[in-house]
Amino acid sequence: MGEAAPDIEFAVDIRGAALSYGGAPLFDELDVRLEAGLWTCLLGPSGVGKTSLLRLIAGLDGAAAGRVRTGPVAYMGQSDLLLPWANSLENAVLGARLRGERPDFDRARRLLADVGLEHGLQALPATLSGGERQRVALVRTLMEDRPVVLMDEPFSSLDAITRHAAQDLAARMLAGRTVLLVTHDPLEALRLGDRVHVMTGRPAALESLPVPDLAPPRDVRDPAVLAAQGDLLARLAA
Amino acid sequence: MKAALRMAVVAAGLLLVWQAVVSATGAQPFILPGPLAVAAAVAGHTGLLLSHAGTTLAEILLGLGLGAALGAFSALVIAHVRPARLWLLPVLVASQAVPVFAIAPVLVLWLGYGMASKVAMAVLIIFFPVTAAFYDGLSRTDPGWLDLARSMGASRWRQLLRLRIPAALPACASGLRVATAVAPIGAVVGEWVGASAGLGYLMLHANARMQVDLIFAALVVLAAMALILYFTVDRLLRLAVPWQVDTLWREHEKEPVEP
């Protein structure tokens, strides 16, 4: 990704990272930088190491070599990971509970109302729809109030319509934060990403792709977005 | 209501089979008394049966409480403390190689003819299924939850408290159900080896005097007690772990209704 201009601030800076999975090296001498306050979307074939990179930044796995510099991170996984015995409000304040802090219920209520769940505060996850569960998970992520948010295919289990709404909501609620979004959906990357990277090869390398010159979340009907989606799909399939 | 009806049908069926065996074999009442003779024995010895049943029930409940507490505690220790897992788990498994029935006389020798030896026996029988099931549940927490907890900066202790323990409660409940079912065995075996009260003692006493109808009466009371205890505990556990959906029962409820 080359040397950065001095006026760009990076929230995440990885230099020369090496990581192997099951004995096989995933990447070696990998450099990744996420610009502060921007959404970076990461695409690439399954098994290339996208989730491993995310876990590396989240501090869940250590690198065999290299240096990872990052601010405090909030993590949102592929499934909503809601606790089945806790209602929406309790799930939203899980982070405080797990750190033994006093939960900020007022803020949790406000955020749940913001995502349209003001009537589902006492609902157990089993009684919520997939989209509602993902919204609770989003609020739980927001409650952490971390400058860097890592998301691993957070919308992949939702249907197309619900996913569209969830993308708009996430773009609104996470504005101003540094976001790394791993996705398999080229359209999702082009709707939400200020930067779009493709991860390919073994050892894996990142390549930055051009994005339409519009502010996210971009209109899916925009010809530039659609054209970019076609290019991206062709590139990923190649 | 439907469940109660089914139970009644099953009970009536069993009683009919019992009576049929008695009639077909022409067994003498001192070998195998029929259901009516046993019912008469229950009615005739109600006070005696109830007082001995009270002793046995107290032993079972005390054993269940202590055994469940001990079982849950040892599961938590071996799950949370690594050296305990390495050193204590083999000991627990090995302890189950010694049949409780074999050490029953020793327990009576050590703890006397009173209630203590019977409670100890019940505890020994109960704690292992609770430990095994609860530990199994504690070790199978969704790795995604643990990743999330680590990214949130949770200590191991809080992960145990907030994630592992609640997630393991359904498994723990299964262990408690098994424990409830086997608890009467411990108490009765203890009473057989040496006691001055309890249904097991009453049965042994009646056996020596060829009061077979009283043996069966005590057996009926014991079985009824065990059944009530099991269904009560099962009900309480379902209330305590409401998020655990019983898919078999749900499937049952969703059966298409006949037009």
Side-chain angles (χ1 to χ4, degrees), chain B:
Chain B
M1 196 59 216
K2 261 186 176 171
L5 193 69
R6 266 200 301 275
M7 288 283 279
V9 170
V10 169
L14 287 174
L15 288 174
L16 275 177
V17 170
W18 182 2
Q19 184 59 54
V21 169
V22 172
S23 307
T25 60
Q28 296 297 317
F30 57 85
I31 301 293
L32 176 62
L36 285 176
V38 171
V42 172
H45 300 94
T46 312
L48 182 73
L49 285 165
L50 279 183
S51 85
H52 286 286
T55 305
T56 304
L57 183 65
E59 289 162 4
I60 293 174
L61 290 179
L62 275 172
L64 203 54
L66 286 172
L70 190 69
F73 179 72
S74 56
L76 284 174
V77 169
I78 54 177
H80 195 63
V81 185
R82 202 159 316 179
R85 184 157 61 242
L86 295 175
W87 292 97
L88 213 59
L89 203 54
V91 177
L92 279 177
V93 173
S95 76
Q96 294 305 297
V98 181
V100 176
F101 307 95
I103 59 168
V106 185
L107 284 177
V108 172
L109 183 70
W110 288 344
L111 300 171
Y113 281 78
M115 212 181 253
S117 56
K118 286 81 197 168
V119 172
M121 200 91 60
V123 166
L124 282 180
I125 271 195
I126 286 160
F127 102 101
F128 189 72
V130 175
T131 303
F134 195 25
Y135 173 69
D136 202 44
L138 288 170
S139 62
R140 285 172 205 280
T141 316
D142 185 339
W145 287 343
L146 298 176
D147 281 345
L148 183 68
R150 280 168 60 207
S151 82
M152 287 170 161
S155 64
R156 268 193 87 217
W157 165 245
R158 292 209 187 272
Q159 288 180 31
L160 181 75
L161 204 65
R162 295 278 173 192
L163 299 177
R164 285 193 187 268
I165 291 178
L169 284 182
C172 183
S174 303
L176 278 172
R177 283 191 190 96
V178 175
T180 310
V182 298
I185 300 176
V188 169
V189 167
E191 288 169 1
W192 276 347
V193 174
S196 51
L199 287 173
Y201 161 80
L202 184 66
M203 287 163 80
L204 218 57
H205 194 72
N207 195 28
R209 297 192 291 164
M210 292 298 277
Q211 291 174 309
V212 183
D213 55 346
L214 187 56
I215 297 179
F216 274 80
L219 206 57
V220 166
V221 172
L222 185 64
M225 214 160 69
L227 279 175
I228 292 171
L229 187 67
Y230 180 83
F231 284 112
T232 308
V233 168
D234 183 56
R235 194 61 193 263
L236 289 176
L237 290 174
R238 275 172 205 278
L239 288 176
V241 193
W243 66 89
Q244 183 72 359
V245 180
D246 188 332
T247 47
L248 280 176
W249 274 106
R250 195 166 61 179
E251 172 186 287
H252 197 76
E253 282 161 9
K254 280 183 180 166
E255 253 172 12
V257 184
E258 298 278 333

Side-chain angles (χ1 to χ4, degrees), chain A residues 206-226:
Chain A
L206 285 189
E207 188 188 344
S208 187
L209 294 185
V211 291
D213 195 15
L214 297 160
R218 301 184 183 94
D219 192 336
V220 288
R221 290 162 301 187
D222 188 275
V225 173
L226 289 174

